[in-house]
Amino acid sequence: MPDAALDLLHAEMRACRRCLDAGYAIVPGAVFSGPVTARVMVVGQAPGVTESQVGRPFNASSGRRLFQWLGQAGWDEAAFRATQYMTAITKCFPGKASGGKGDRVPTPAEQALCAPFLERELALVQPEVVIPVGGLAVKRLLGAGRLSDVVGGVYEVDGRWIVPLPHPSGASLWLNRPKNRAQVQQALAQLAHLRQRFSL
Ligand code: SF4
């Protein structure tokens, strides 16, 4: 269902050059997807290069793992992409990390420049369940820190259910530990429960 306010926000995000204007070497072109009727919102860190090229969140290998996880919770990828909302803390590809491994983590200044967009997305879509993916998004949505302390739990914040997940990219070493992988399984069980309870 089209929504004029969300369409306007999307147009603003696509046209945004705030980070470039502030001197950050991002690749402009905000990446996000989903309708105003979405009841679940996935919030990642920032799009990668292939996401930026094709304009689709979690398009490549990190998407494969994320949708394997969401599949365990009972969601079909195509249906999820069509009906739920996917976005990020910063919405443009930040470029590769200087060390060559993985993508550059957006600076606090870039995060602050982009923050009003996420606030507006949340206000317009009003998701019942938010899935922050990766440490940056978890910190923003939960205000708390370490993945090891929060993954596996479900938290009620501002009337929404927050279910944190680690970042599914291969650059994340957090998933190497069996204890952490067990926490992810707990988180997926929480999501499956919420999906059934609220018919999401
Ligand atoms: S990351 Fe966000 S604030 Fe920065 S240019 Fe892209 S849309 Fe604008």
Side-chain angles (χ1 to χ4, degrees), residues 85-142:
Y85 200 93
M86 305 185 82
T87 188
I89 295 296
T90 62
K91 306 191 194 302
C92 298
F93 174 47
K96 290 289 175 193
S98 55
K101 185 159 168 49
D103 294 343
R104 183 175 67 81
V105 177
T107 62
E110 291 165 281
Q111 294 174 46
L113 286 170
C114 211
F117 286 142
L118 180 59
E119 292 308 314
R120 288 167 66 190
E121 288 172 302
L122 286 164
L124 288 170
V125 176
Q126 301 210 20
E128 291 153 65
V129 173
V130 177
I131 307 173
V133 170
L136 221 58
V138 168
K139 197 164 182 191
R140 171 68 58 80
L141 271 301
L142 274 184

Side-chain angles (χ1 to χ4, degrees), residues 12-20 26-30 89-93 110 112-115 117:
E12 278 183 50
M13 292 196 296
R14 286 195 185 95
C16 181
R17 300 293 184 270
R18 284 177 203 161
C19 294
L20 269 187
I26 55 110
V27 177
I89 295 296
T90 62
K91 306 191 194 302
C92 298
F93 174 47
E110 291 165 281
L113 286 170
C114 211
F117 286 142

